[in-house]
Amino acid sequence: MKTRKTDVLIIGSGLSGLMTAELLSSRKNVMIFTKKRVEDSNSYLAQGGIATAMQETDDWYDHFLDTLQAGCFHNESAATRQLVTDGPEMIQKLVELGVQFDRQSNGTYQYGKEGAHNRARILHIGGDSTGKHLIDTVKKRIIEKDLVVEGETAIKLIVKNNRCVGVWSMDEYGNMTATYAQAVVLATGGLSGLYPLNSNASTITGDGLALAYVAGAELTDLEFIQFHPTLLVNEEGKSVGLVTEAIRGEGAVLVDEYGNRLMKHEHPLEDLAPRDVVSRVLYRARMAGNKTFLDIRSINDFQKRFPTVTRLCKENGVSIEKGLILVAPGAHFTMGGVETDVDGRTSIAGLYAVGEVANTGVHGANRLASNSLLEGVVFANRLAHSIRSETDIALISGLEWEGIEILADSPTYEEIHEIMNNHIGIERDEHGLNQALRWFERYIDTTVIHEFPSLGEIKKRNQILVGWLVAGSALQRTESRGSHYRTDHPYQREKWQQRRVKRRKECYESVKSTAGA
Ligand code: SIN
């Protein structure tokens, strides 16, 4: 079996992984594994932008409060504060790397607005191709340094005495390699690909979460899965991309097939309510047999402002000329994940996590729009700093391959999707969650050790494990909060709304007094 050595091994090539590599590569030997190509990441598909309080009329504590309020105050407040206060410096860093954010004709940045933000504070690139431009810029630098191994899937973390010392991986031909490293960084994204309707790259199916779980790392908050209200759906009802929330920021509204405004009386922010709220309204409308559309008729120069959505519509035979785009809510982002501190450390020494796979606690129970690219760069920077400042340790190597657990009996991917959708979707209840849990357990019970498994067998095992973890977490949380809505424990909207506003006021006062703002 082949063996490699490096200082830092990063698994995943989204923005957080690439930025960690960029920030470390002048001091450390860095290697990045990506399952397919560098571009196969959620970051690459990100449309809306990157939120940051940079304007003179804005304040970090306003961004902070919007983040807490959208997250239903389940957020870790110190980490959230770090996220928003480090934002402007990281935007500057991106600009130094060559990123060009969209500007107005007078040369100042153009800021967009999205759901649950108090004001327009979202920087974007190429209208609605922010992720693509960000990744292309950072990727160019990484490729020049020859850091990426494409087509390499991490299949098991190598852990010795509760220290992660490397990774077993497999290429597309089934060849296995042991890579030993002082630091292993999970940057593998979330789990939304387990749902039939989702906005994610096809590679994002929870593998990093499964790797961490099997190694014994702590995972938290997995019940919080964000469903984006507006995925583009084709005639067969399949999701074929995202329709960015920034379009609602410019004035588009959600309607049913009769032209009724769906969000009109549902929330004070109407179409720009937090995503969990909007998704539930659309979900219920669809369950009642209605169709849900984004009405873009009020937007001038739509094609120019939103070229990615225009292209997606064209490629999928969706006409934008009539001004109504058929949309449906679908899985988009995993708030929970591998628990980390603000420097990316997990509960296993030598193992770090960054980006969507990590749970720093900044997103709470529902992520605020355009905070995920921000999270990617802010926490990549902190992680790189903490890895740089750690003293070198001797590499451990030469460990025996002991095989891997796979399922002797496994369902189809479609069956997994169906269980996730039917029982751990936008609305859940105890009965359904128990059914899902038992269903996953049936397959977990068939686990056997295999010395030379296929990638397909490992992927299936990972999905079953992750589905089971999500079902278990959702069952344990006997309340409704943010994206986790239990129909057997509903919240009373009026009361909840008042509570959110009261909490916002309290937080505002305490942050203001500590910041001297
Ligand atoms: C969007 O453009 O609507 C998605 C941005 C995000 O997920 O924050």
Side-chain angles (χ1 to χ4, degrees), residues 45-51 114-115 117 122 128 130 199 226 228-230 242-248 275 309 332-333 367-373:
L45 300 176
Q47 295 180 2
I50 179 160
E114 289 183 38
H117 281 277
I122 294 157
D128 59 357
T130 309
S199 64
Q226 181 169 81
H228 193 292
T230 56
L242 186 70
V243 178
T244 176
E245 195 165 276
I247 303 176
R248 275 178 280 138
R275 278 185 194 162
V309 174
H332 181 58
F333 189 86
R367 173 171 66 77
L368 181 67
S370 285
N371 265 357
S372 60
L373 292 176

Side-chain angles (χ1 to χ4, degrees), residues 191-495:
L191 61 83
S192 294
L194 296 190
Y195 288 85
L197 288 191
N198 72 77
S199 64
N200 283 203
S202 61
T203 46
I204 307 297
T205 51
D207 285 327
L209 299 167
L211 281 174
Y213 177 76
V214 170
E218 275 175 35
L219 276 70
T220 42
D221 290 344
L222 289 175
E223 66 275 29
F224 296 118
I225 293 159
Q226 181 169 81
F227 291 82
H228 193 292
T230 56
L231 302 197
L232 183 65
V233 284
N234 66 12
E235 281 187 358
E236 289 100 61
K238 293 213 165 73
S239 52
V240 288
L242 186 70
V243 178
T244 176
E245 195 165 276
I247 303 176
R248 275 178 280 138
E250 299 280 316
V253 291
L254 291 157
V255 295
D256 65 15
E257 66 269 46
Y258 308 107
N260 298 317
R261 292 270 308 271
L262 290 163
M263 292 306 301
K264 190 75 193 152
H265 303 291
E266 297 288 348
H267 190 278
L269 295 175
E270 300 187 346
D271 296 86
L272 287 176
R275 278 185 194 162
D276 57 320
V277 178
V278 184
S279 284
R280 276 194 296 279
V281 171
L282 266 63
Y283 170 78
R284 286 174 191 158
R286 288 168 60 82
M287 293 304 278
N290 290 105
K291 289 186 170 162
T292 49
F293 296 92
L294 186 66
D295 182 341
I296 59 169
R297 283 175 291 191
S298 64
I299 299 182
N300 297 324
D301 292 333
F302 183 86
Q303 306 200 14
K304 201 162 150 235
R305 171 69 179 88
F306 300 106
T308 304
V309 174
T310 303
R311 176 182 54 76
L312 278 173
C313 287
K314 279 194 183 138
E315 282 173 4
N316 291 287
V318 176
S319 155
I320 55 169
E321 271 68 47
K322 290 196 191 105
L324 292 176
I325 302 176
L326 187 64
V327 290
H332 181 58
F333 189 86
T334 311
M335 267 73 71
V338 183
E339 177 141 309
T340 69
D341 65 12
V342 286
D343 295 321
R345 294 187 195 91
T346 70
S347 56
I348 298 181
L351 179 67
Y352 302 82
V354 67
E356 189 176 346
V357 70
N359 183 17
T360 55
V362 294
H363 304 305
N366 171 55
R367 173 171 66 77
L368 181 67
S370 285
N371 265 357
S372 60
L373 292 176
L374 181 67
E375 170 188 32
V377 291
V378 164
F379 290 107
N381 187 43
R382 291 196 61 91
L383 169 60
H385 189 266
S386 91
I387 290 179
R388 271 200 307 264
S389 59
E390 265 160 35
T391 43
D392 284 348
I393 52 150
L395 275 189
I396 294 177
S397 62
L399 298 179
E400 286 284 302
W401 167 246
E402 290 169 349
I404 198 164
E405 289 187 332
I406 56 154
L407 312 170
D409 181 20
S410 64
T412 62
Y413 291 118
E414 288 71 28
E415 286 172 313
I416 299 175
H417 292 173
E418 203 177 301
I419 291 289
M420 296 298 291
N421 193 50
N422 292 349
H423 301 307
I424 330 175
I426 293 177
E427 295 188 339
R428 304 104 192 247
D429 66 18
E430 185 179 354
H431 178 71
L433 290 170
N434 265 321
Q435 261 183 279
L437 197 70
R438 282 200 299 273
W439 188 84
F440 285 116
E441 270 164 5
R442 226 176 44 233
Y443 293 104
I444 291 174
D445 285 347
T446 72
T447 299
V448 288
I449 301 267
H450 199 308
E451 204 177 347
F452 297 107
S454 69
L455 273 180
E457 286 169 321
I458 298 166
K459 186 171 157 192
K460 193 70 77 63
R461 190 281 315 253
N462 286 350
Q463 296 198 9
I464 291 290
L465 262 187
V466 171
W468 173 72
L469 289 170
V470 175
S473 303
L475 200 52
Q476 280 175 37
R477 184 169 292 283
T478 51
E479 64 164 352
S480 286
R481 186 179 285 257
S483 63
H484 174 66
Y485 192 84
R486 291 273 302 249
T487 51
D488 50 346
H489 296 277
Y491 59 67
Q492 303 204 316
R493 208 175 47 206
E494 294 301 306
K495 235 165 96 187

